Amino acid sequence: EPQSSGNSVAAKAAPKMQRQHSIYALTPDQRWLRPSLAFPLYAGTLASTMLVCLVWQPSYKMLRLQYTLVGVALLMYRVYYYARKEWILYFIDLCFVNSILLIVSLWCCSEGECSQEWLLA
């Protein structure tokens, strides 16, 4: 039977230090490394915008359609993300209203039909 020394008894009795996770650590948390829908969505948005602007000769109608598709896709992603996280109050955010009004104004005010107040808003 091995004899225990006083140091090993003290080491067993001492509480173990637990490593605290820090936001300043050099390695990211594992939850940030999981694949998600965000990266392909934003990469596709960037690639399609570059394709429209650099390859084709974009007209106002093409850019309006591009912005509408991208804007609606990103809004729908935010709705899906907030609903999944149960952050329903984020739907009251002014950014949603602003994005929707911008898309509406792109389609309704293209011929100068809107008032100056609408255009200033």
Side-chain angles (χ1 to χ4, degrees):
E1 174 176 354
Q3 292 182 348
S4 62
S5 65
N7 289 341
S8 65
V9 172
K12 289 182 183 178
K16 293 184 178 180
M17 296 292 289
Q18 292 183 351
R19 182 177 176 202
Q20 297 289 330
H21 293 288
S22 170
I23 60 170
Y24 302 108
L26 295 177
T27 57
D29 194 344
Q30 290 299 316
R31 65 181 170 191
W32 295 103
L33 298 176
R34 281 185 267 149
S36 70
L37 183 63
F39 181 75
L41 180 68
Y42 289 122
T45 300
L46 179 63
S48 66
T49 303
M50 288 176 61
L51 182 71
V52 165
C53 290
L54 298 177
V55 175
W56 295 316
Q57 304 246 334
S59 64
Y60 172 75
K61 291 181 181 181
M62 177 66 82
L63 289 175
R64 179 176 62 177
L65 179 64
Q66 167 68 19
Y67 185 85
T68 301
L69 292 175
V70 168
V72 169
L74 293 176
L75 282 172
M76 295 307 296
Y77 175 74
R78 285 179 69 186
V79 167
Y80 163 75
Y81 182 77
Y82 290 153
R84 186 182 60 156
K85 294 278 189 177
E86 297 178 0
W87 295 346
I88 301 301
L89 290 178
Y90 281 103
F91 292 125
I92 305 173
D93 190 11
L94 184 61
C95 293
F96 280 109
V97 175
N98 189 22
S99 297
I100 292 169
L101 287 177
L102 179 59
I103 291 170
V104 167
S105 69
L106 281 174
W107 289 95
C108 294
C109 298
S110 63
E111 305 296 324
E113 302 157 358
C114 295
S115 66
Q116 283 295 96
E117 291 83 14
W118 175 263
L119 294 175
L120 289 175

